[in-house]
Each structure stands twice: as C-alpha cells, then as structure tokens.
Amino acid sequence: LGLATSMSVEQDMTSAGTSLYMIIRLTHLGRNSLQLVLELLYAYLSRLVHEGVNLELYKSLALVNRLEWDWSEPEGPAATVEDFAERMTRLPHSHLLSGDSLIWFKKPKLVEHILKKLSPDNMNVALVDDNIDSSAPYEADEAQTLPHWGVNFTVMNLSEAVSLEALERWQGWMTEDNRSLVEDTLADSVEDADIKPVGVIYPKPPKAIGGLPKDITLAHMHVKPVALATSANASTPKSWEVAATLFGPSPQPLDLFGSNATPFAAPPKVWYRSGWITQSPKVTVCVVFRPMRSRHSIEATALENMQLTLYQRLLGEEMVPKMVDLTMAGVSYSINVGYFSGLSLTFTGFGHVLPRLVQTTMDEINRFNSNYNITTKSRYNRVTEEIEKDLTAFNSMPVHYALSDRSMFIMSGMHSRTEMLDALSGDATNLKSVSRSASDLVFSEPLVMTALAMGNFAEETAGSIVKSIADGLQLPTGKSSPKASILHGEVHHVTPVVRLTKPIELRMVNPRPGDPNDVTVVSLINGVETIESQVLLGILGQILHTVTYNELRTNRQLGYVVEAGYGRLSNVDYLSAIVQGTALGADKVEEAIEVVFSKFMVKRLEKLTDEELMSYKDAMTDSLVEPPVQRSSEVGHFWEPVQLGGKCFHRDEAVLRYLNSTLVSRAKLLQVWKDLAMPSYGHRRKITVKYFNKKVPPQPDDMDVKRSMSKEGIPAEDIYRLVSERSVSSVFRKADSAARLKLAEEGGYYPLNIHCHLSQETEHALALEALQKKASAQEALAEPLLAALGKRAVEVVEAMEAEDVVTMLKSYAMLGKKPDSVLLNVLGDRVKDSAKELSPEDLLEVLDAFMQLRSKPQDDVFDAIGESIRKAAPRMDVGNITTVINEYLILEHSLDDGLQVALDRRVHRIAPYLSAAQLNALVLSYIGLWRSRLGLNSDGTQQHHRLSPSAYSALLEDVPGRLALASLCQRASALAPKMSAVEVVAVLQAFKTFWTMAEEAVQRHGSSNDEVKLKEMQRMQSLGQTLLGALGDRLGSVAMELPPADLAMILEAYAAFGQAPPPYTLKVLVQRLQNVVAELSADDVARTFAAYSKLKALSPAESS
C-alpha cells in the first residue's frame, strides 16, 4: 500500500510493568493516512486474537529461540557484565542465563490473554514528524516543551486525532470475529485514500517456520589450531608468534573450475577453511564479482552511484518478503552493489539450509535483473522519497559531516549531498534506468569472481555451494564479451586517494540547522601506509590523543568533542585532531591545534621515558593479539586478504615484529612527528575543515596569527611555516567531487599499493638486531673457547680440509671476532694453497669473511682466489659476478686483466636474460670498478695519484667492462617497455652516474688534443643515447608516479647524454614537476634549473 517503509516490535520490561512498542516508519502517504495505518494494524491484531495461537508456529518459534541461544556469538566482557546486572533486578538466579531467551513451557492461554490486551483502549500513539504541520487535526491549545531536550510536543485524546467511530470499530473487531466486515471496511478505507493496492489487503498471520535444523552435525566445527612456534631458547613466545596462531590456519585456495570455461574474465579464485577457532555450527560464504575497469577509470559519477544505490534498495525490498521463511530458519544474507566493488554476496547460517538460501537468492537476483518492470511505480517513488529525506536531514552531530567533507576532498567516488540530490532528481534517474543500472554499469564489464568459504562444512560441500553461486549468476546478453578489454582493464582493489600538493581548507556554515557549534578538523596526510608507518603513526596517534584531550578539552575547555589520533583512508594514513564546541571560533581552534602540534607534542615526545614508550607498545600489541570471540571476526580477518588475491594473511605478525623492536624508539617517533607536522622544507599535506555556527568570517590576518602564535611560545621558524602555508593554501566554500577532481589534476593519485611486508631495509635492521642480541648473550661463553680453538687451529691447519678452513673463517666473521694475526695468516696461506679445490661460492664466502673481519688478504692469496674465479667465470651466475666485483672493491684490490676479461665475457653472454633489478645491480658494480681504475673517490673527486695521459689512453682502449656495459645497455633498452617506475629510475640513475663519471675522467685525464677528447666522449656517450631512446616512451607512461627528487635526476640524465626527451615525455615530466613543485627541495630546484639550461641549449623549441 506504500504507507510504511518498515515496522518493528520491541518490549520494555521494568518493575512498573511491561510495555509493547510497535514502531512504524511512515511514508509521506502514511503520514497523511494515520487512521488507515491504525486500521490495518487492528485488522491484523483482531485476526490474531480470533484465529487463536498457532501451536505449530509457537513450537517453531521456541526452536528458533533455542538455536539462537545455543549458538549465539558471545559479547565482550563489559557488555556481558552489564547485561547480567540488569537481569538480576528482575529474574530469579536460576533463570539468569536463559530467562530472556528460551521458551521452556508452551502457554497458549497466556499468549491469548496478552494479545487481547492490545486493544485501542489500552493504547497510546506517538506521532514524530520533523515537518509536522501545526494545523488540525493535531492542533492543541498549547504546545509543551520536553525538559532538558528542548523538544516541543502536544498531547490530545486519540479520539481527537482519529474518529471516535473508528476507535469503536477497532474495539469491536477485537471482541467479535467478523472477518468479512473487516475485509469490506479495509477495502473501503483503501479506496477512500485513493490507493491502488498490490496484492491482498487483509494481513495474514504467518505459518510455522519450516526447515529448522534439529540434528546439527559438528564434524567440521573446530579448526585444527596452529602450533605455537617459539623462538629457540625462549621461555615465553613472542607476540608475533602468538598472533600467528590466534585466528588459526589461513584459508587455502581451491581449484574448483580447472581449465573449464567460465563466463568470467579469469578463473574464479576460491579460498576455503574448515572450522572455527570460536564455537559455531554455522558456515559463511563470501563472494564478490568485481568488474574490470580501465586503468584510467578512477571516479564513478554521482549519477552512476545514485542509480546503483536505488537499484540495491529496490532489489532488497523485492527480496525481503520472499526470504522471510528462510532467514527465520537460522540463515542470513547480504547484497551490496557498487561501481568498482561490483556485486558482493554474503551467506551465513546452518550448512544444510545454506544451499536453499543461495539458490533462492540467485533466482531472485536473476528474476529482478531480467524483468525491468518488476518494481512498481509507487515503490520506486517511496524509495526515492526516503533517500531524498535522508540526504536532506542532518540528524547527527556536525563533526560527522565535517569528517565526511574531509574525506570528500581526497577519496575518489564520494559525492556531496547536493550532487546526489541532483542525480536523484535528474531526468536520467528513472525507474527504467535504475532497474537496468546493475546490468549496464557492472555486469556489462568483464567480471572477476573471488570467494571465501569458512566454517562447519566439508570441502566438497563448500565447493558445491560456491560453484552454484558462480553458475547461478545470469549475465546480461548482448553486452561486450567477457574477454573484451581485459588487456586494458583491471580490478580495483584499492580506492584511489588524491595526492595533495599543498594545504587545503574548507570554510562553510555548520550544515545542521540551529546547531550552535563550530567544528574544526585538522588532518595531516602521511602517504601510502606501510607496516612501519602503521606502527609509528599508531603510537603517535595514541600520544596525540592524550596530549590534545588534556590541553584542549581539560585545560582550555574548547569543546565537549575533542578527539585526535591515527586513521586511514583507503591505503593512505594520516593523523588528525578534531574539536567541536562553542567556546571559540573555528579559526582560533585551528591555532590551538597547531600549538598542540608544534609545542606540546614535541615536549611530550622529548620527555617520553622508556617505560612510557613500552606502555604504548603494549597497548598496540594487546589490540593485535586479542583472540576472536565471534565467528564474524574470523571471517573479517581473512576476507580482506582473500580479496587481495591471498596477500597480507600474516601482516599483523610483521607489524608486531617491528613494533617490539628497538627500531621503534623515542628518537624515531620524534623524527617522524617532525617530518609530518613540522617539515624542514616543503608544505604539509594538510586538510582543514571548518564549520562556523552562523556565518563564515573573513580569514584571519597573517599578523594576527603571528601575534597569537608568538604569545603561545611557538618558535619563529614554525610560525613562518604556518604563515607561508596560508599563502599557498587552496580555500574552498564547499566539498564535492568537482573540488576533488581539481586537486587530482594538480597532484594525481597515490599509488594503489598495499604493503604486506616490512621494507628490505627494516628486515636487514631486524636481522642485525637479532644477531647483536644473540652475539651479546653468547660472547662471554665464546671468548675462552675461541682462544683455545684458535691456538689449536694454528697447530693442525695443514691437516684441515679446504672446506673446513672456509667454515672457520665464516664462523669468526659470524661471531664478529677477528682472529689474531698469526691464525689469520695461516688460514690465508691454507686458502691460497687449496684455492683450486674450492668452488666459486666457497671463494666468495672467503672474501666475504675477510670483508666482515675488516682484514685484507695478502696479494698472493688474492692472486690464487682470482685465478680460480677466472677459470670458473664461464659458469657463474649474475649474482656471483656482482658479488666478486663488489667484494674486490670493498677490499680495495683491483681485478687483474685476466679475471676482468673473463667476467666481461660472461656478462656479455648472460646480459640478454637479466631482470631489471639484476641489470641495475651489475651496472652499479661496474661503476665502482670504473671509478677504481680511474683513481676516483666515490663522489667522483680525484684521489692523491693521477694517471698520465699515455696511461689513460691505454686504459681507455681497454675500459673495464666496455663489452659488458654495451651488452647491459642493450638489455636495458629491451626491458624498458616493461619496467616499473622504480626500475626505470634505478637503471637511468646507474647509467647516468657512469656517464657523468666517465665524462669527468675524460676531462681530467684525456688527451690534450680536443678532437681526440671529443671522439672519446662521443664513443661513451652513444651508449647512453641508445638507452634513452628506449626509455623515453616508458618514462612518459610512468612519470606521474615518480617522486620529486627523481624528476630532477631524469632531466640531468638527458642533459648529460646530450639528448632532449621526446616531446610527449617532456610534456609529462613538466606536468609532473608542476604538480609537485611545492615538494622540491632547494637542491632539487637547483639541479632542475641546471638541467633545463643544458636541455634548452640542445633543443630550444622542445625545452621551452
């Protein structure tokens, strides 16, 4: 009938008695038809009374309650205590556990007695309407005001709001059974209201709930726990070792489809785990069908989002009545539809009911999608009315809207209320377009299916259910082939976030009418979240919360809402401070927040004790090692990694390893805080949202800000930074997608990376920390033993096997203990004599041991090792070659000509098979070798000796690695089209360094004849120009991902090789420089200008 959007029944039991509440959310039509709504209610209640208690329904309800009580998910400790404390006021102790849940005895007479109590003469009606009309029939002599709440209301007899005749009629229905009279009255009332009903008007009581499980198998309820692997010699397990066991083993992939054809863009990826860590006989299946979008498709329009929102609401309303019997049998489902997220389905319940739930759900989705006329116009109008009301109502605290506006500036896909209302009211949004929206916007694209099945069912059953979902989804016909555009699209795992190039500020009136508060939100955007940033900013967030609350709430009393801490938007993390109150205007509150940032946080971090730091670490550790208490927690823990393709299952363990290391120190926290909140150069990526309670005032004058901050004791350099930020900040009067797109044009978007592991640098530091701890613990025991073993080794070294000598050197290096000179010489002589017997790997370990012991072998030992490596060179891999060169360089021993030639020839042969990373490492090694042969320091400056021109000419004819470098350059050119941004930069940096150094050497050592010198330079320069030609196009594709410092280096490389970039590449590089110019350091600026000057001389037209 379109009178209501929902109805719920609640009860309130107190010592004063029991009240039953029937809560009906009315549509606009229902609001104007109050008497008809109540008439329908009493038509139903009277039918319940006269038909009597349905014993089968009664029994099924008792069984449902029993199932829910037996297998309900436990609450947390605090909620449990609070619940029992309340029950103890009204229940006997023997029924505290089950008194509110179980029906122990069937009492139909009592039920009938209670139903008869629901009569009109025992009823109060409350009509709540934010747009209420004070005119009749709700007019009263005098409005009253609810104390403490400020709500105006009127009170009248019900007979004044509805007719006395209607009240007497309803009372008669409750006492006399006359169904035909009730039906006729309802039909007349509906007709009088000018409503065209869809279906039966007379409400009908439900039947008994079918399909309830009676014998529940628990064969797969418990997952096999993960064994706790403690560290060697550890009395208690480490926190990360505990974290690895909390949620049990990770789900494993299932190959359900094999090579069979599917309608999807790729074979569905399905993950399965049997059982729970918690106790539940239920199962959960999560499935998502995500469309492959173009890599350039970043934003969905407000129209697309609105159409899909309406589609989801209408689909839900169509399905709910048809799913009631199933959901009452202990199962549940959810459906979500999004432009990028696609179709998401979740099914939960008892395993034997789930196949029927899945089948019914898929049938209903397909029925809805195949019949665009299934939704009535009245339902569509009602749903659009509800959404319009939601978009125009501001029922929450204003701080919630401020946080939404903050996200609006940088989170792609978000739209303002005005934009969504425009989309809702536009001609393009209609019943036909909404009904087709999922087919047109989601299912028409190539889809990728991902699923997770967990719980109390066997692998075969889980696979069967997932396959029925995959096979059950009917895709629209006549659309693009599922294989079309796959090469040009990808699934969006991460919502893109705009990268700010400068601070931004929103200034607008508090959107909540009549609200007296100002709101200030200040957020400092860090960047793409890493494990390290999560830990460091997480601890800083804890400290910031305490400092902000103590200063702004307790000391200054600036507002009743004062919050601060760490947060994440998509894959980007930030720190934020929030104040809502009436004590100060939003501009002054921002200054107070900046005082907290610049003064109080720095003081707190400088005085942070080891004990306090440990307490913050413990708090974060506790949050990460808290075991799951509900089944939904286990599903949530694994569903996100599954959606990422099985990545990040063990991320928490990496977080805990870093968190509980000495790398997280007071000094590190202070450094990170200053880099984020008080950078020494460049501007912060700061978002400020300000709501003003009446009107937006002019921005504060710079001098006023300086005076205020000076009074607070803020250092002059920090005040200068704040004022300079104000001069470059972008100020907005509203937050919407248009503002976000403008910001995106300036800075682009952050990379869509998800960091699941610690950085290589951190891993190395953690490994070193572990070795140092182990070494310090064993050092006292090792000293006497090492002395005795060393003495004995000198006596028996001639009898030792060559491999044993290598092992002994390695052991000394591992322990960090240098043997005495006698033993070291003896071991070196033994290596020299047995070098022919050792493998290249053993010889490299010998050099590595000498390097770690900071001791250089004798020349004859080097000669023997070099000769053996030379013979093995034709079989060596790239890793060993790189290691040989690097270790010779570190030990400051030159490669003899024979070894150099052998390595060059091997590099020439394997160059076509190298990866970008291997190639880059090898080029850097050759750079070091070239630097050594030319007598240059690592920074390119001249060492104390200088080659004569004749010696240099001889050297130039036999440049170390000339053949190898040419091959490496050719390989780099071949790899260029597939290189990532990081790889392009690394390779270009390596070759640029080589050329710059070679140019310097030619100028310093080369022939005095200018023609000869020019020829020498042209010969070396040609290598770089070949490489740049290949890298040019790739640079144009990846330039927008490059950090500021790399842009200067790229321009320098082009200038060094005497070649201007291709026009398109140059255009993109310039655009990227314009986007990040605020982030360039002084050195970056100087280098960019110098490179520009050279490029302009090369090609004035292009470089301009």
Side-chain angles (χ1 to χ4, degrees):
L1 298 178
L3 297 173
T5 61
S6 65
M7 177 178 177
S8 60
V9 180
E10 298 178 5
Q11 60 186 18
D12 183 24
M13 294 181 291
T14 68
S15 58
T18 299
S19 298
L20 185 73
Y21 297 94
M22 299 180 185
I23 304 167
I24 306 171
R25 185 176 181 185
L26 300 173
T27 62
H28 182 71
L29 177 60
R31 161 66 178 78
N32 294 325
S33 309
L34 178 61
Q35 182 166 310
L36 178 56
V37 171
L38 295 175
E39 191 141 88
L40 287 160
L41 174 62
Y42 272 101
Y44 179 66
L45 290 175
S46 66
R47 188 167 181 174
L48 284 179
V49 168
H50 297 306
E51 289 188 4
V53 175
N54 183 334
L55 288 177
E56 293 303 315
L57 174 61
Y58 199 172
K59 292 176 183 177
S60 65
L61 287 171
L63 181 55
V64 167
N65 286 3
R66 181 77 200 195
L67 287 169
E68 291 178 349
W69 189 78
D70 282 344
W71 301 109
S72 61
E73 295 189 323
E75 297 286 347
T80 302
V81 170
E82 182 180 351
D83 185 27
F84 280 127
E86 187 276 330
R87 293 187 190 193
M88 289 169 68
T89 64
R90 54 184 174 79
L91 293 175
H93 65 85
S94 58
H95 291 285
L96 283 177
L97 288 176
S98 61
D100 286 342
S101 304
L102 298 183
I103 301 174
W104 288 103
F105 307 104
K106 314 297 184 298
K107 296 183 178 181
K109 294 297 183 183
L110 177 60
V111 175
E112 289 178 357
H113 175 72
I114 293 174
L115 285 173
K116 290 177 181 178
K117 290 280 189 181
L118 307 179
S119 59
D121 58 2
N122 202 24
M123 173 182 67
N124 291 333
V125 177
L127 177 65
V128 181
D129 188 347
D130 54 359
N131 296 314
I132 195 163
D133 185 357
S134 62
S135 62
Y138 309 113
E139 184 176 337
D141 295 337
E142 182 175 311
Q144 303 177 52
T145 302
L146 191 64
H148 311 298
W149 293 87
V151 176
N152 296 326
F153 67 98
T154 60
V155 179
M156 66 190 72
N157 289 326
L158 186 57
S159 59
E160 299 176 45
V162 299
S163 69
L164 181 59
E165 178 189 356
L167 286 174
E168 293 174 347
R169 182 168 64 245
W170 303 338
Q171 189 72 39
W173 291 354
M174 295 294 289
T175 56
E176 296 182 16
D177 184 9
N178 193 335
R179 182 178 301 181
S180 60
L181 176 62
V182 174
E183 288 190 55
D184 291 343
T185 303
L186 286 178
D188 292 342
S189 297
V190 170
E191 184 178 355
D192 291 343
D194 196 24
I195 297 174
K196 296 180 179 179
V198 178
V200 179
I201 300 175
Y202 195 10
K204 184 171 63 174
K207 297 179 181 179
I209 302 167
L212 294 174
K214 296 181 180 178
D215 298 317
I216 301 174
T217 176
L218 306 179
H220 297 276
M221 185 172 78
H222 298 288
V223 69
K224 184 179 180 180
V226 177
L228 184 60
T230 57
S231 305
N233 302 320
S235 57
T236 57
K238 305 295 185 184
S239 59
W240 55 89
E241 295 165 346
V242 174
T245 68
L246 289 177
F247 289 86
S250 301
Q252 297 300 309
L254 294 182
D255 185 10
L256 295 181
F257 299 88
S259 58
N260 297 332
T262 67
F264 307 115
K269 294 183 178 180
V270 183
W271 301 75
Y272 163 77
R273 192 189 79 176
S274 170
W276 308 102
I277 289 290
T278 52
Q279 296 247 103
S280 176
K282 296 186 176 183
V283 303
T284 295
V285 176
C286 303
V287 181
V288 60
F289 300 91
R290 288 176 289 193
M292 297 185 74
R293 301 285 184 193
S294 164
R295 295 178 179 87
H296 304 293
S297 178
I298 302 295
E299 298 270 0
T301 66
L303 175 62
E304 291 164 338
N305 282 343
M306 177 52 70
Q307 289 178 341
L308 291 174
T309 298
L310 283 166
Y311 168 89
Q312 182 174 318
R313 289 279 290 270
L314 294 173
L315 172 62
E317 292 217 0
E318 180 66 26
M319 289 185 63
V320 166
K322 299 175 175 61
M323 308 295 286
V324 169
D325 289 342
L326 275 170
T327 54
M328 289 297 292
V331 294
S332 63
Y333 71 97
S334 68
I335 303 174
N336 290 286
V337 184
Y339 185 79
F340 288 105
S341 58
L343 173 66
S344 300
L345 305 170
T346 301
F347 304 96
T348 297
F350 298 106
H352 80 285
V353 187
L354 211 67
R356 190 155 60 97
L357 174 71
V358 167
Q359 185 63 52
T360 305
T361 302
M362 302 310 295
D363 287 347
E364 290 300 319
I365 292 174
N366 293 331
R367 188 173 70 89
F368 189 83
N369 289 339
S370 61
N371 184 359
Y372 298 139
N373 299 317
I374 201 170
T375 300
T376 63
K377 184 66 175 177
S378 60
R379 173 180 286 175
Y380 175 79
N381 290 339
R382 174 175 54 77
V383 170
T384 55
E385 177 187 322
E386 293 168 17
I387 292 178
E388 181 180 7
K389 189 171 183 178
D390 290 339
L391 289 171
T392 53
F394 292 87
N395 299 322
S396 299
M397 291 193 300
V399 67
H400 295 301
Y401 307 117
L403 291 173
S404 177
D405 284 341
R406 185 269 314 274
S407 302
M408 184 87 61
F409 280 115
I410 59 175
M411 284 282 286
S412 68
M414 293 186 66
H415 296 88
S416 68
R417 289 172 172 240
T418 300
E419 290 174 309
M420 295 298 281
L421 284 168
D422 289 344
L424 180 64
S425 60
D427 294 338
T429 301
N430 51 60
L431 181 54
K432 182 178 179 181
S433 66
V434 168
S435 300
R436 297 174 55 93
S437 59
S439 297
D440 292 343
L441 300 177
V442 178
F443 300 139
S444 60
E445 299 294 330
L447 297 178
V448 175
M449 174 181 166
T450 305
L452 169 65
M454 288 180 65
N456 182 31
F457 52 1
E459 180 179 321
E460 296 77 14
T461 306
S464 175
I465 292 174
V466 173
K467 286 194 72 174
S468 70
I469 297 171
D471 298 337
L473 181 64
Q474 295 177 5
L475 299 177
T477 57
K479 301 294 181 182
S480 61
S481 165
K483 302 297 181 182
S485 304
I486 291 176
L487 294 177
H488 305 288
E490 58 188 18
V491 168
H492 287 227
H493 294 100
V494 176
T495 301
V497 177
V498 173
R499 190 203 306 262
L500 298 178
T501 60
K502 56 188 174 183
I504 63 172
E505 180 176 326
L506 172 66
R507 301 175 65 85
M508 61 179 284
V509 173
N510 185 336
R512 189 180 186 196
D515 190 285
N517 290 284
D518 278 30
V519 180
T520 307
V521 177
V522 178
S523 298
L524 303 177
I525 309 300
N526 176 56
V528 175
E529 182 192 48
T530 64
I531 290 176
E532 292 87 344
S533 73
Q534 178 185 340
V535 170
L536 295 167
L537 295 188
I539 294 176
L540 285 171
Q542 294 181 58
I543 299 171
L544 179 63
H545 171 77
T546 303
V547 172
T548 303
Y549 191 88
N550 290 344
E551 180 60 27
L552 303 187
R553 177 74 173 88
T554 306
N555 295 340
R556 304 195 185 198
Q557 297 288 308
L558 294 188
Y560 59 92
V561 176
V562 176
E563 294 286 344
Y566 169 73
R568 189 180 74 179
L569 291 171
S570 185
N571 65 330
V572 171
D573 51 9
Y574 64 89
L575 289 174
S576 194
I578 304 162
V579 177
Q580 173 181 296
T582 60
L584 277 181
D587 286 324
K588 287 296 182 182
V589 172
E590 183 200 12
E591 292 178 11
I593 291 173
E594 289 290 1
V595 171
V596 170
F597 287 176
S598 301
K599 180 179 178 181
F600 293 104
M601 266 298 285
V602 174
K603 284 185 177 180
R604 182 71 184 94
L605 291 170
E606 288 175 343
K607 295 180 179 180
L608 190 68
T609 65
D610 291 341
E611 292 76 15
E612 289 170 332
L613 175 57
M614 186 54 64
S615 70
Y616 286 118
K617 288 187 175 186
D618 289 343
M620 184 177 285
T621 298
D622 290 343
S623 68
L624 292 170
V625 297
E626 184 176 351
V629 296
Q630 296 183 339
R631 179 189 67 253
S632 55
S633 300
E634 295 187 59
V635 175
H637 180 77
F638 291 117
W639 181 224
E640 184 175 355
V642 165
Q643 290 185 86
L644 293 173
K647 300 176 182 177
C648 295
F649 277 129
H650 303 287
R651 193 177 192 280
D652 285 352
E653 297 157 44
V655 169
L656 287 164
R657 285 178 56 224
Y658 182 67
L659 172 63
N660 291 284
S661 72
T662 58
L663 301 180
V664 181
S665 62
R666 180 177 63 84
K668 183 66 174 179
L669 291 171
L670 184 58
Q671 174 199 333
V672 171
W673 173 256
K674 288 185 175 181
D675 289 345
L676 182 64
M678 308 161 61
S680 57
Y681 65 88
H683 299 299
R684 295 176 295 178
R685 292 178 289 272
K686 173 185 171 185
I687 304 177
T688 306
V689 175
K690 296 176 183 175
Y691 286 174
F692 300 90
N693 68 333
K694 291 182 180 179
K695 64 177 182 178
V696 179
Q699 285 186 275
D701 181 77
D702 285 351
M703 291 305 299
D704 291 338
V705 174
K706 290 180 180 179
R707 280 192 292 269
S708 298
M709 303 305 279
S710 295
K711 289 180 181 178
E712 295 282 359
I714 304 302
E717 60 270 22
D718 293 334
I719 296 175
Y720 174 77
R721 184 191 69 250
L722 293 173
V723 174
S724 65
E725 275 188 352
R726 287 162 53 85
S727 65
V728 300
S729 295
S730 293
V731 178
F732 296 87
R733 299 300 179 183
K734 62 180 180 179
D736 55 19
S737 63
R740 180 175 63 251
L741 291 174
K742 179 182 178 182
L743 295 171
E745 289 177 0
E746 297 172 357
Y749 295 86
Y750 282 102
L752 304 179
N753 298 339
I754 297 291
H755 292 279
C756 304
H757 307 285
L758 292 165
S759 68
Q760 191 174 29
E761 179 184 358
T762 300
E763 286 287 7
H764 289 165
L766 290 175
L768 180 61
E769 180 184 73
L771 285 173
Q772 289 172 340
K773 288 181 179 179
K774 184 176 180 181
S776 61
Q778 297 176 346
E779 189 170 358
L781 296 174
E783 288 290 350
L785 178 62
L786 282 176
L789 286 175
K791 184 176 180 181
R792 180 59 179 161
V794 172
E795 299 172 356
V796 301
V797 68
E798 292 299 329
M800 292 174 67
E801 296 290 338
E803 290 79 3
D804 294 335
V805 175
V806 176
T807 301
M808 194 165 188
L809 282 168
K810 286 167 57 180
S811 299
Y812 271 101
M814 186 180 300
L815 292 170
K817 296 293 181 181
K818 185 176 181 179
D820 61 57
S821 58
V822 175
L823 176 58
L824 196 59
N825 289 335
V826 169
L827 292 174
D829 289 341
R830 185 74 180 93
V831 168
K832 178 188 66 176
D833 297 338
S834 58
K836 296 178 182 179
E837 307 169 25
L838 297 173
S839 67
E841 289 76 17
D842 287 335
L843 293 170
L844 291 178
E845 288 184 342
V846 168
L847 292 177
D848 184 63
F850 274 105
M851 185 174 64
Q852 292 186 49
L853 294 172
R854 299 183 180 180
S855 180
K856 184 176 180 180
Q858 299 293 328
D859 288 346
D860 54 352
V861 177
F862 258 123
D863 291 342
I865 292 174
E867 178 60 22
S868 294
I869 293 176
R870 182 188 66 77
K871 293 179 179 179
R875 302 182 301 278
M876 292 174 69
D877 61 26
V878 63
N880 284 342
I881 294 172
T882 304
T883 302
V884 168
I885 297 173
N886 289 342
E887 290 185 344
Y888 266 75
L889 290 172
I890 292 172
L891 292 170
E892 297 181 349
H893 193 87
S894 59
L895 277 72
D896 63 63
D897 293 343
L899 177 57
Q900 176 68 64
V901 170
L903 293 178
D904 287 351
R905 288 174 177 171
R906 181 58 179 165
V907 169
H908 175 66
R909 288 182 177 274
I910 65 175
Y913 309 103
L914 299 181
S915 67
Q918 291 171 331
L919 182 146
N920 185 53
L922 201 51
V923 171
L924 292 175
S925 297
Y926 269 99
I927 288 172
L929 189 62
W930 173 246
R931 188 178 278 131
S932 173
R933 292 288 291 272
L934 291 175
L936 300 176
N937 294 313
S938 59
D939 61 358
T941 58
Q942 182 65 47
Q943 292 179 3
H944 62 278
H945 62 279
R946 179 183 177 89
L947 296 179
S948 65
S950 58
Y952 172 76
S953 298
L955 177 61
L956 196 63
E957 291 302 318
D958 187 26
V959 173
R962 180 186 295 283
L963 178 64
L965 280 171
S967 302
L968 293 173
C969 188
Q970 292 172 1
R971 179 56 179 163
S973 301
L975 286 173
K978 297 181 180 179
M979 285 185 184
S980 67
V982 174
E983 290 170 338
V984 169
V985 169
V987 170
L988 191 57
Q989 174 73 61
F991 277 97
K992 178 225 161 194
T993 302
F994 165 73
W995 162 247
T996 304
M997 180 189 59
E999 182 184 31
E1000 177 72 17
V1002 169
Q1003 295 292 348
R1004 186 168 292 163
H1005 296 291
S1007 169
S1008 57
N1009 187 315
D1010 289 340
E1011 292 183 6
V1012 175
K1013 186 179 296 186
L1014 179 62
K1015 182 178 179 181
E1016 293 168 352
M1017 292 179 65
Q1018 288 174 340
R1019 181 163 56 178
M1020 289 181 289
Q1021 192 178 40
S1022 64
L1023 283 178
Q1025 292 178 341
T1026 301
L1027 177 63
L1028 281 182
L1031 286 178
D1033 292 338
R1034 187 57 182 158
L1035 277 170
S1037 301
V1038 301
M1040 297 305 288
E1041 304 174 28
L1042 299 176
D1046 289 342
L1047 298 170
M1049 184 279 298
I1050 290 170
L1051 294 176
E1052 286 179 327
Y1054 274 102
F1057 287 117
Q1059 181 172 325
Y1064 173 74
T1065 301
L1066 184 59
K1067 180 179 179 181
V1068 177
L1069 287 171
V1070 170
Q1071 179 63 50
R1072 181 61 178 152
L1073 271 169
Q1074 290 173 338
N1075 293 345
V1076 299
V1077 67
E1079 301 177 45
L1080 294 177
S1081 67
D1083 182 59
D1084 292 335
V1085 172
R1087 291 167 56 204
T1088 303
F1089 268 115
Y1092 165 75
S1093 300
K1094 293 182 181 179
L1095 287 173
K1096 186 175 182 181
L1098 290 170
S1099 181
E1102 290 181 4
S1103 62
S1104 62

